[in-house]
Each structure stands twice: as structure tokens, then as C-alpha cells.
Amino acid sequence: MPLPKTVEVLLPVALDRTLTYAVPDGLELAPGDVVVAPLGSRAQIGVVWDGAGEAVDGARLKTLEGRVPATGLAGPMRRFVDWIADYTLAPRGQVLRMALRGLADETPPPPKTGFRATGAAPSRLTPAREKVLAAAADGVVRPKARLAEAAGVSASVVDGLAAEGALELTPLPPPPPQQQPDPARPGPKLTPHQAHAAEALRRAVADGQYRVVLIDGVTGSGKTEVYCEAVAEALSRGRQTLVMAPEIALTVPFLDRFAKRFGVRPAVWHASVGDMGRTAVRRGVADGSIRAVVAARSGLFLPFRELGLIVVDEEHDAAYKQEDGVLYNARDMAVLRGRLEGAPVVLASATPSLESRVNAERGRYAKLALPARFGGRAMPEIAAIDMRVAGPPRGEWLAPRLVSAIAQTLSAGEQALLFLNRRGYAPLTLCRRCGHRMKCPNCSAWLVEHRFRASLVCHHCGHSGPTPDACPACGAADALVALGPGVERIRDEAAARFPEARISILSSDVMGAGERLAAELDAIERGAVDIVIGTQMVTKGHHFPKLTLVGAVDADFALGAADPRAAERTFQMLQQVTGRAGRGDRPGRALLQTFDPDHPAIRALVAGDREGFYAVETEARKAAMMPPFGRLAAVIVTAPAREAAEAHGRALARAAPKVEGIRVLGPAEAPLAMVRGRHRMRLLAQAPRTFDLPAYMRAWLAAAPQPRGGVRVAVDVDPQSFL
DNA sequence: CGCAACGTTATC
DNA sequence: ATAACGTTGCGA
């Protein structure tokens, strides 16, 4: 008996290895094909992979159930999955799962048919039949339901006429092809600097080679217009384009800018696109009927058939980091995808990440700097308010100097923006009697009071419940006090100070996402709002023409976090938000409320010394062996008990202050790279790459009390060193 | 003693 | 991922 033919199959489950299956007689399979494989007691979809598997004994070998008619993973996509899994220490199957999202059977649907009048008269003519024939008299082919509806009768009347030959079934004309983006439409008039940059990008796209270009363009320099020229070049050469943006920036105005340039909106791919949309986009991208996609990070895994350009807008944005499941930075993986597909990659930002700047300096990336548009507004004048000496009275959050600046702004008929990256009313609720702190039952994070919704909300896991009247611990009534400010509280304070002012909150939870937000933004743009109070939302998009004052209520918001990129994030976010102040004719001003006015990030903002900040930060990064200079790994603790895990996280944060992104995961979330018991170090050594774990981290691993669930290790290494 | 709850292990 | 399997703890 001949040995059965076998293939290696990667399954979208938390498994790193491929499994070997027998191929049923008569089935031809190639790597990348989608198949149905028996797994345990169920059937599981999978992808034929390349490479050899470990030998299996014949008794265990199972036979595939068949092939799925769907676009699988071409060679570069399979290498992409392998590389990401290797790099992020995730099981390959878990990465594959991301690449199969939106996958559906692509068997072409049977052609649609409709009814047309034949001219033959039915044997009996009832009033209902007359109506149908009248409706069909124009000769248009209509589906049964549509024809019945047009005649105002039920579908069975149509059936009766068809049975007697008065109507016949004919194929419907194919739906008109969807309108494609048109690169030939005239673009906007570019300044000489923009035109020069656009030309460089067009050449890169025309070459059709992998390369990375960093566009460093301050707000208002027109970097979107510039990279749109690269998109136009790719489209006109018959290549597909992928533009990536942080989820929060994928707004209607963003899509409309694209539509204005190319005539139609691009296909979109992000978290709130439903299953149907997903399926349509994946299929369209694979068969080539979709030419341009605008996507959040997961759009990286779409099976483009002829990708010619990837743009990563706002490349510095921390939202590109996926922090659950497979831990990856979409900006870095976009560069990898471009390399594997042989496509140029454009990274664009007004405040480029330190990693990208260094990669440009080292010559790995080309760099295009866009100066501010001629005649555009100058950078705002920024000053710090030292809250230790010039802060507000107890129980208030706006310093006198900021209050008087707001008053001045309002009396000039201009707008003020108060930026505070904290949703809700107050981040902590405390019992004055017994000291009890309101904590989330699931994750032990503090519950944030949302007075607008009259509830306490956990910003970690989404848990929410009504705000209690009495302390749940000691029962004292009226003893609960709200500590610290959120945007709602700032609104109350501003309303008390400026009762005449029209105030608007821009925060994801107050607004939702759709109509209300659009209406509110419109009101702000028209000048129907005097004071805008906003979270991170206000850093992106939307031009507020009357805005001349920005106040950062808590400029230090990220500086205390155990995040090694805290200073950089603070600097970038404050630079973006303060950059919004100013009208066409003159610069605006910005006030930063801070308890740490000597912090390098704050000082650099006040001095307007961006390069100086990056120089200091670069040295700090080098000293800490951080990417792109070192090989720092991030460590994530898991333990069955949330409390225990939190405690381990805190212990680790103390022991290893440079560790990034400590997150506590449930045991189910940490399958493969979980390091257990006494095998910790051995498993570390088995990891796909050798880690230079910093000494403090090794010490922590050796000395820490044993987390019950184990320790999961993720990388934070500049991937460029492996490309 | 039986079985539910929970953690562990294997999946070709 | 998820089903099957083993252990443990508690009520009958």
C-alpha cells in the first residue's frame, strides 16, 4: 500500500507548529490554500503551509476534509505570518488567525435573475395581473419581489403569470462596477516644498522597490496632500494602496479628504466594520476590485493581490501597538510587509517617533522634511504654569493665570481649548469616613465617576454600575468624595467661572462616534462654542479656525507612568495639541499646567526646541539600552488571581523601571510564550531569538516570587535590525 | 461516593 | 481555540 500524500497545515489556533494531514485522493493542494482539517473532535479551517513537519506515525495521521474556495495566503503573506510570530514570540497559529479575518467562501454566487414581460397574454386577466403587466410594460428586468412591489401585489401573482408564459425569467444585467478612485483627477496646488517631496515619493513608487521614506511635516505642512500624490502614482500604475491611520483618526473628514482627491471614498477596515464589510473588503482586496484601503492596524493582514504602496499616517502614534493577543507595532510590521511585498512604505508624522528619526539618521530610511506652509501660522507661544507655586485653590483645577487667559480669549471673541486626557468626572471616588476606594470588581483598577451617565465606570475592562449613595464598605451616607479632575469636572469649573460661555466637551464617551460628534465639531468650527474641553480626541483632525488659546490642564499626565516612552509621548501629544492654537494671521498661545516645569519635555516645549528634546531623549534611550539602541524586552506577568498578578506587575515595575507596557493578562491569554516553574530560563533560551535581557530583569526573574500562572515575555526591539 | 469546578494538556 | 482529561473539594 503506497504511503498517503501529506501536507503541512497551519491552524488559526494558539499552536506554533504545523500539523501533518493526509490529502484525500484527487485533491490538488498548493501552499497557501485554505483547507478544512479535523482537529480533535471538530473541524477547523487551516492553511497549507510550506516547510517540513515532524514525522507522525500513521495511526495519528488524519485526512483533510477538503479545500475551501477562498483566497488563501500567497508566499509573502506566509512569510509575514512566520516573521511576526517569530518576532513577537506568538504562536504562528495565533498570527494566522489575524490573517484569516473576513475570510469567506468565494464561490461566485449564481447570476441574479429577474422577470420580463414576453408580450404573450395570460389565459385570464385579473386586476392584480393587469397591474403587474403594466409595471413590467417598460421592458426592464426586475427581481420577483421588486416587480410585485412595483405593482402593489403579492409575489404569487408574478409566479402565476410566469407559469402561463406572460413573464419570463432572464438574467439581470450585472450591477454597475463600483466606482474606482481616479488618480488622474487634478490634485491640490502644491507649494514648491510639497511638490518637491511629492515628486520624490512618486519616483519611489514608480521604482516599485521596497524602501522606507519618513515624512516629517509639522501640522499644517500638508503632508496628507503629499502622500496622496504617492497614492495617485501607485493607483495610476495599477497597484493597490494601503493607508494606515490610528483607529481614532479614521473619521469621516479623513475619508472625505481622500474622496475629494480621488472622487470616491476608499474601502475602510477597522474594529467597528462589521463582518459583512470585512468579508467584502477581504474579497475585494484579493480579487483586485478594491484599489485603495484605509485601515487601522489589522488592515496589515489583508491579502492584497498587487500592493504597490503602504502609508502609515501619524506613525508615532502609540495606538499602532496591539496590546492584546499578539503584541506588535503595526508601524514596524508595515515596514516588514512592504519589504516582503517589494513595495515602498511611507511613514508620516508631525512628531516622528524617535525610532524612525534614528533609522532615518542611520540611512535606513530616506527623510523628507516639510516646513510649515508659507503664510501659515507660526508655532504658538508656549508657557508653563508651575502648579506648585501658582496653582488654583484647593478643589479647583484651573490656575488663576489660565483662567485670566481664558477670560481674555473670550472677550476677544475667540475660542479656548482645555485639554485633559481623562474621561469622566473624577478618576477616583473615596469614602471620607472609612477611606474605602471604589475599585473595579474585575480588575481592581479605580472606578471613574461619570456624572453625565450617573455611573462608575472601569476604563480598563468596561465594567460599569450606578454611582452608589452610600459607601459600600461602611455604609456611611453622603461620605463619598470625588478626587481628581476629569473633563466633566473641568466643564463644571469652567461653567462656574464663565457662566456666559458656550462650552462643549469632546470626549468619546459623551459623544459616541456618529452624528452628535459631527454636529458638535461643526458647531465648534462655526464658532458657536467658546470653550472646548477635550480628551485625546482633539489632537487629531478638524481645524478650529477661531482657536487661539490651548490650556493643558494636566501636562504631566503621562510622565508618571511606568512607560519608558512617557517623555516622548507627552512631548508629542502636547506638541500636537498646542499646535492647534492660532488663526491664520497670528500665532496662538498655550499654557501648560505642570508640577514638573523642569522636565525636559516641558522645557523643550516652552523653548520651542524640538531638536533639543530629541537629542536629550536619544541619549536617555541609549543609556537605557532601549530600542533602537538596545534589546529591551518587556515582561508581562500572568497569574490566575488578578490581585496577585497586579502585585507582580507592581513589583516588576519597581524592579525594572524601564520595562514597557506591563500588562496583566489572564492565564488563557498567555499560551505559548508562557514560562513556567523552574523552566523559566530554559524556555527563554529556547525562544526564537537570543535575548539580551538586561541584568535587572534577569535578577527580577530569578528573585521574584513564583507567579502561579507564569511569566510571558514579549519583545521591544527595533525590528529594523532584523530586516 | 459522585460530580462540579477548575486547571492542564493535546490537537496531525 | 477548544475539547478532553485529571485533580481537588464539597455535598449527599
Side-chain angles (χ1 to χ4, degrees), chain A residues 698-719:
Chain A
R698 262 183 279 132
W700 179 80
L701 279 171
Q706 190 64 62
R708 284 247 293 128
V711 178
R712 184 180 175 195
V713 181
V715 281
D716 183 7
V717 175
D718 183 26

Side-chain angles (χ1 to χ4, degrees), chain A residues 683-705:
Chain A
L683 273 170
L684 273 176
Q686 274 182 1
R689 218 187 320 288
T690 309
F691 288 106
D692 301 333
L693 275 186
Y696 62 78
M697 197 176 294
R698 262 183 279 132
W700 179 80
L701 279 171

